[in-house]
Amino acid sequence: MRVPFISLAVLAVATQAQEVYMTTTGYSARPQCTQSNVTPKYHFQPFSYTLNETVRYATSVPSPTTTRKYAAPYTDVVKHLTTTWSTSTWGSWVPDQTSISATDTKDPYGQAAWSSMWLQADLHNYTTTGLFSTTVSPTPVPSSELVLPPRDYFGPTDCYNFPKDFVFGVAGSAAQIEGAIALDGRGPSLLEKLVSDSEPKDYVTNENYFLYKQDIQRLAAMGVEYYSFTIPWARILPFALPGTPVNQQAIDHYDDLIDTVLDAGMTPVVTMLHFDSPLMFVASDNITKLPDIGYNNAGYQNETFVDAFVNYGKVLLSHYADRVPIWVTFNEPLLYAFNFKGADHVVKAHAQVYHFYHDTLKATGKIGIKFNDNFGVPKDPKNSSHVLAADRFQEMQLGIFANPIFLGKQYPKSVLDTLPGAKPLSKSELKHIHNTSDFFGIDPYTATVVSPADEGIEACATNQSSSNELFPNCVKQETKNVYGWNIGYRSESYVYITPTYFREYLFYLWNTFRSPILVSEFGFPVHAEAESEELSDQLFDSPRSVYYLSFMSEILKSIYEDGVHVMGALAWSFVDNWEFGDYTQQFGIQAVNRTTQQRHYKKSFFDLVDFVKARQPNKD
């Protein structure tokens, strides 16, 4: 049985053991010590130098003996499809080269039409120059790179193991690591227009499009079990719309990528859309940044979007659902759909893809959706207006998608009363949308401290034409608590180390939306890491280790002490990448030499994997 939305006021009573704000003064109690009153006895002993570090090696994932199937292969699926897809291939777009002068101008989906999309994209400073132009064969990871680093002095102490079916792995997204944007038939996307010409673009990034075999081998060598990656819509369907040809080169590329993951002993997790909407959906001269929310006019509200996305989802599932057990339809849609029509389209498109996966394909894996929401905690938990502001923040961030999908409930009243053009779902729509996610995906990087807008929430929310930068959430977000302390240790970006808030958040999500939780991204860009002159200083990233180990410890407590079903956790990111115009916010657990594309394991990678491996039960 599903229950209604649980307010933070109710949760505050249920989670008193996790209260963040101290109500008493004095020192924190120390652990019980059995020898606290023993008198020390001083004495001399012979001295000799000793090796403090024990050399250990990361353990690779064992090669698979069998491959589990989760749906019928494409050759069988295609017999049951009402529509099938023609395939084609295109060349690569390079300014002033032959692909622009293609002669098949009468073909609406030919080389000339494909090239014209890139001309319309009007890229500045575009270059295809990278180190590689074909897939690179992997080489074994030297054992010298797999020696574990020295431990930090303090670390988590617990007595828990992760459940046998716990999903642990790492994540990345195509737009941020692949490069090769206009090669092998890929069409232009929103992300080629997103950042200003003065900032680094996604043209080359990590060249993972050519280096994926080596990247996968490096993950397997560290013992990673799940690899979460994304597939670019514009690479699979350059012209995006139903009825347009599928890019056969792209189908073959991701077919091989999935097989490479499986052959390495890992399990693939695939996200269909990670910010990289095909540019044709977007008024590219009208992409606007909304303060603290995301990007508007990013294509989700386009009238053709739902049918086009569903068609794209069917292409992916028909080809790959037999080997991929976990699927995500949308990544963090709030950032690119924060207007009512965009959010409404996301909810309806997601539900259709879910039904195709389970009802048509009869697939036995899992498919869901994942959200972004830095947990909003009231600045003053004793102030009812602050608690209501936090409740509203959660409704606007999560309820707009999660209410209909997980609870079969109407869009939150705060959404219907605030967003221009908002209208409720019909009973038949709610019935179709309800229970269309097998897990609740969340990217809970950090927390945010919430209080009402100065003029009050209602005054802000009722003025839909308001220029108030807090509209439509109409709450203030801060990084300091009511006593002026930062909420945690600060990173290079908006992320603070907030593990106790994270545990409270898991409690809130589980008891509100009643679905297994997949922590689908979480990570920490160490402050000024990119400025380190010595590579060894970048690699010894103890603050990131603290972040990961504290969050993983709180997951264990959440599972065993709070009864929360946390399905798994995927670390972001498996390598330093392109953070949408920025290379200084380094979220990776591997460093990248931007000249040579060489990867280097960071300490946090070893610490994170070591923490999980030490707490895994025998799976036999």
Side-chain angles (χ1 to χ4, degrees):
M1 176 180 176
R2 297 185 182 273
V3 298
F5 178 89
I6 298 177
S7 76
L8 291 181
V10 174
L11 283 177
V13 176
T15 59
Q16 285 182 352
Q18 301 175 46
E19 284 290 344
V20 175
Y21 300 104
M22 299 293 292
T23 57
T24 60
T25 58
Y27 299 105
S28 300
R30 73 171 188 172
Q32 293 294 322
C33 301
T34 57
Q35 297 181 347
S36 58
N37 296 319
V38 175
T39 301
K41 297 180 180 180
Y42 306 108
H43 57 284
F44 295 104
Q45 297 183 70
F47 168 80
S48 63
Y49 290 103
T50 59
L51 180 66
N52 291 323
E53 289 81 24
T54 300
V55 176
R56 299 174 295 143
Y57 291 91
T59 304
S60 63
V61 176
S63 299
T65 56
T66 59
T67 300
R68 184 179 174 185
K69 298 295 183 180
Y70 304 91
Y74 177 73
T75 52
D76 291 342
V77 168
V78 72
K79 303 172 187 176
H80 306 291
L81 296 175
T82 55
T83 58
T84 56
W85 306 281
S86 63
T87 61
S88 186
T89 58
W90 296 269
S92 297
W93 185 80
V94 184
D96 302 322
Q97 293 189 16
T98 54
S99 63
I100 297 176
S101 58
T103 59
D104 56 348
T105 54
K106 293 184 179 180
D107 185 347
Y109 308 119
Q111 183 69 45
W114 180 85
S115 298
S116 70
M117 290 194 297
W118 282 105
L119 285 172
Q120 292 168 20
D122 190 28
L123 302 184
H124 298 287
N125 305 319
Y126 170 69
T127 176
T128 60
T129 302
L131 296 178
F132 309 101
S133 58
T134 58
T135 301
V136 176
S137 298
T139 57
V141 179
S143 59
S144 59
E145 291 189 36
L146 297 171
V147 177
L148 276 71
R151 295 181 183 273
D152 289 320
Y153 188 75
F154 294 104
T157 58
D158 57 75
C159 302
Y160 301 125
N161 284 335
F162 289 99
K164 287 186 178 182
D165 59 351
F166 189 82
V167 172
F168 167 70
V170 297
S173 86
Q176 295 171 264
I177 61 173
E178 271 195 353
I181 63 160
L183 308 184
D184 289 357
R186 180 189 179 288
S189 79
L190 162 72
L191 294 181
E192 282 77 72
K193 300 293 290 185
L194 182 63
V195 297
S196 70
D197 292 327
S198 62
E199 298 174 288
K201 296 278 193 173
D202 59 340
Y203 301 153
V204 176
T205 62
N206 296 8
E207 294 197 81
N208 171 265
Y209 184 76
F210 302 116
L211 292 172
Y212 66 93
K213 291 181 182 288
Q214 186 67 42
D215 278 336
I216 289 167
Q217 182 145 314
R218 288 184 62 83
L219 297 180
M222 285 290 288
V224 171
E225 296 180 357
Y226 287 80
Y227 174 41
S228 176
F229 59 93
T230 74
I231 296 179
W233 186 347
R235 199 180 288 283
I236 295 290
L237 287 159
F239 293 91
L241 297 177
T244 62
V246 174
N247 182 0
Q248 187 62 51
Q249 287 178 287
I251 293 295
D252 295 343
H253 175 84
Y254 295 104
D255 190 71
D256 188 61
L257 190 156
I258 290 167
D259 284 345
T260 302
V261 172
L262 294 169
D263 290 344
M266 296 190 295
T267 301
V269 179
V270 176
T271 296
M272 296 178 178
L273 184 57
H274 191 107
F275 299 157
D276 46 357
S277 303
L279 189 61
M280 68 166 297
F281 291 123
V282 184
S284 58
D285 59 346
N286 192 28
I287 300 172
T288 56
K289 178 71 168 66
L290 302 179
D292 300 318
I293 296 173
Y295 291 87
N296 202 355
N297 302 317
Y300 288 20
Q301 69 272 34
N302 188 292
E303 293 298 338
T304 62
F305 180 84
V306 174
D307 288 343
F309 179 82
V310 172
N311 174 70
Y312 165 58
K314 289 179 177 180
V315 172
L316 293 187
L317 293 173
S318 298
H319 283 87
Y320 307 131
D322 59 331
R323 287 158 291 161
V324 176
I326 303 175
W327 289 87
V328 176
T329 53
F330 290 92
N331 165 78
E332 301 184 0
L334 180 78
L335 287 180
Y336 285 74
F338 205 82
N339 54 71
F340 179 76
K341 182 179 286 187
D344 188 62
H345 283 176
V346 165
V347 169
K348 292 173 179 175
H350 163 81
Q352 288 189 50
V353 173
Y354 177 94
H355 284 295
F356 176 78
Y357 179 76
H358 281 303
D359 300 345
T360 302
L361 297 186
K362 307 297 182 185
T364 59
K366 299 180 187 299
I367 187 167
I369 186 169
K370 72 187 185 88
F371 308 114
N372 62 292
D373 176 29
N374 301 325
F375 185 41
V377 296
K379 184 171 184 178
D380 181 357
K382 298 179 181 179
N383 185 322
S384 61
S385 68
H386 289 206
V387 173
L388 290 174
D391 281 344
R392 177 185 173 86
F393 182 78
Q394 258 69 252
E395 287 181 350
M396 299 293 287
Q397 301 276 303
L398 295 178
I400 188 172
F401 305 105
N403 270 20
I405 292 173
F406 292 92
L407 303 178
K409 291 179 58 178
Q410 191 54 259
Y411 291 127
K413 187 175 184 298
S414 56
V415 169
L416 294 173
D417 290 348
T418 304
L419 294 185
K423 60 180 181 180
L425 294 161
S426 67
K427 289 184 178 180
S428 61
E429 287 174 329
L430 280 171
K431 183 177 180 180
H432 184 260
I433 294 166
H434 186 206
N435 275 332
T436 55
S437 189
D438 298 322
F439 54 84
F440 193 106
I442 191 69
D443 299 348
Y445 283 87
T446 192
T448 186
V449 178
V450 172
S451 58
D454 288 338
E455 69 273 35
I457 290 175
E458 185 175 354
C460 169
T462 53
N463 188 358
Q464 295 186 346
S465 62
S466 172
S467 59
N468 189 329
E469 65 177 8
L470 298 181
F471 183 88
N473 287 336
C474 294
V475 300
K476 291 188 292 185
Q477 297 182 60
E478 302 174 66
T479 58
K480 292 181 174 61
N481 67 18
V482 70
Y483 300 111
W485 281 98
N486 279 354
I487 55 174
Y489 184 81
R490 183 183 175 183
S491 74
E492 179 66 22
S493 68
Y494 67 93
V495 180
Y496 289 72
I497 300 179
T498 56
T500 54
Y501 289 114
F502 171 59
R503 178 180 171 188
E504 186 176 2
Y505 192 23
L506 295 175
F507 187 97
Y508 164 78
L509 294 174
W510 168 247
N511 288 287
T512 302
F513 298 110
R514 299 296 177 100
S515 186
I517 299 167
L518 175 63
V519 180
S520 39
E521 288 181 28
F522 68 128
F524 187 82
V526 176
H527 179 64
E529 183 179 272
E531 299 174 16
S532 299
E533 295 183 2
E534 292 287 338
L535 174 63
S536 59
D537 291 337
Q538 286 196 41
L539 302 185
F540 208 102
D541 57 340
S542 288
R544 186 177 285 110
S545 291
V546 171
Y547 176 93
Y548 277 125
L549 301 194
S550 63
F551 272 54
M552 294 302 289
S553 292
E554 293 303 308
I555 285 177
L556 286 170
K557 294 175 186 176
S558 185
I559 292 171
Y560 287 99
E561 297 178 19
D562 301 337
V564 176
H565 184 178
V566 182
M567 167 184 155
L570 302 168
W572 181 273
S573 170
F574 78 91
V575 67
D576 287 338
N577 58 31
W578 179 68
E579 286 293 333
F580 308 107
D582 190 1
Y583 285 114
T584 61
Q585 297 182 56
Q586 298 185 164
F587 279 85
I589 50 181
Q590 293 182 85
V592 177
N593 183 312
R594 296 282 161 208
T595 301
T596 65
Q597 289 291 0
Q598 185 176 2
R599 280 72 156 138
H600 303 272
Y601 297 122
K602 297 181 186 178
K603 180 179 185 295
S604 60
F605 201 163
F606 290 97
D607 288 343
L608 176 58
V609 172
D610 207 28
F611 178 91
V612 175
K613 295 295 183 182
R615 291 161 178 79
Q616 284 185 325
N618 190 332
K619 295 187 177 183
D620 296 335

